[in-house]
Amino acid sequence: GGWQDQIGGISPGIKFIATTPGIHQKPTLRWLPEKILKEAFESKLIQLYYTGLTRVAYDILGEIVKSIFLNSSHHLAILKAIGQNAEFAADAIQRGDWQLIRESIRRSWELNQLLDAGTNPPQMDLILRAINKFDAVYKLLGAGGGGYLLILAPNKEAGIQIRETLISSPPNPRARFVEAEISRTGMEITRS
């Protein structure tokens, strides 16, 4: 754990990254077709929402790592299911199947919550209740579930309604939509 965000950010585009266990990592990257996701970002089927709610992941990750070191069969089974869901998501993207992509995000959110109940803090309830009526699927991003919420609408009309609902009634003054797109370059370092 801990390398996936960095390795994912270094390379451009949509990809499936895998490695074997051990200290010496040799990740393999498989690039996936971007068309369906690019179109989904452009049409607001996929939206990124900063909730204004942040948490420190230290305690959450500490408990998960402790459970892994203690060979908790419960936690190890969930981690295996998370890996299987990543393969399911990659297959859904390769097929260009929007409903399967949404299903992979729904599963990911459920698995994250099974791994640690603190992934979904009570303050999120207001936001999630507001968008559930539009058949949205979503998950908090970041270690343990950070402040950014990835939202996938079932269709363009629902995407517009989700956006209008959260803009008209934000849960706090910091909450806002953030424009997102597929990286064409991978990591870029600038200096000013």
Side-chain angles (χ1 to χ4, degrees), residues 80-128:
K80 182 177 181 180
I82 288 171
Q84 291 168 336
N85 190 52
E87 291 174 7
F88 178 84
D91 185 62
I93 293 168
Q94 286 175 325
R95 291 172 185 264
D97 189 320
W98 182 243
Q99 293 312 316
L100 291 181
I101 293 169
R102 283 175 28 93
E103 175 62 17
S104 71
I105 297 301
R106 187 195 61 72
R107 288 180 187 181
S108 180
W109 179 235
E110 285 181 0
L111 289 166
N112 287 167
Q113 291 177 90
L114 286 173
L115 193 59
D116 182 84
T119 297
N120 186 6
Q123 305 92 318
M124 281 299 302
D125 198 44
L126 181 66
I127 298 169
L128 301 182

Side-chain angles (χ1 to χ4, degrees), residues 11-191:
S11 302
I14 304 295
K15 58 242 163 229
F16 178 80
I17 306 168
T19 189
T20 55
I23 293 180
H24 301 289
Q25 298 294 301
K26 293 181 182 174
T28 58
L29 284 73
R30 265 190 2 218
W31 272 264
L32 300 172
E34 299 177 3
K35 185 176 189 267
I36 190 166
L37 297 180
K38 184 176 185 288
E39 290 171 355
F41 276 113
E42 290 170 355
S43 65
K44 303 300 183 208
L45 287 175
I46 299 177
Q47 300 185 66
L48 186 60
Y49 188 68
Y50 179 65
T51 65
L53 307 170
T54 57
R55 299 177 307 118
V56 177
Y58 175 79
D59 292 335
I60 293 169
L61 295 176
E63 283 302 310
I64 293 169
V65 169
K66 177 181 164 187
S67 297
I68 292 168
F69 283 144
L70 294 175
N71 284 321
S72 162
S73 58
H74 172 73
H75 286 84
L76 294 174
I78 295 169
L79 290 172
K80 182 177 181 180
I82 288 171
Q84 291 168 336
N85 190 52
E87 291 174 7
F88 178 84
D91 185 62
I93 293 168
Q94 286 175 325
R95 291 172 185 264
D97 189 320
W98 182 243
Q99 293 312 316
L100 291 181
I101 293 169
R102 283 175 28 93
E103 175 62 17
S104 71
I105 297 301
R106 187 195 61 72
R107 288 180 187 181
S108 180
W109 179 235
E110 285 181 0
L111 289 166
N112 287 167
Q113 291 177 90
L114 286 173
L115 193 59
D116 182 84
T119 297
N120 186 6
Q123 305 92 318
M124 281 299 302
D125 198 44
L126 181 66
I127 298 169
L128 301 182
R129 275 190 286 128
I131 64 175
N132 277 339
K133 61 186 167 194
F134 303 113
D135 192 28
V137 297
Y138 41 76
K139 77 173 293 246
L140 282 168
L141 305 177
Y148 287 88
L149 184 67
L150 180 69
I151 305 169
L152 279 69
N155 53 55
K156 189 172 182 175
E157 295 75 28
I160 292 167
Q161 291 175 318
I162 290 166
R163 193 170 189 89
E164 288 173 353
T165 297
L166 292 177
I167 288 173
S168 66
S169 298
N172 61 65
R174 294 175 307 282
R176 65 190 181 282
F177 281 95
V178 177
E179 294 306 314
E181 62 185 35
I182 299 170
S183 171
R184 302 286 3 112
T185 61
M187 183 175 72
E188 289 183 291
I189 299 173
T190 60
R191 192 172 119 186

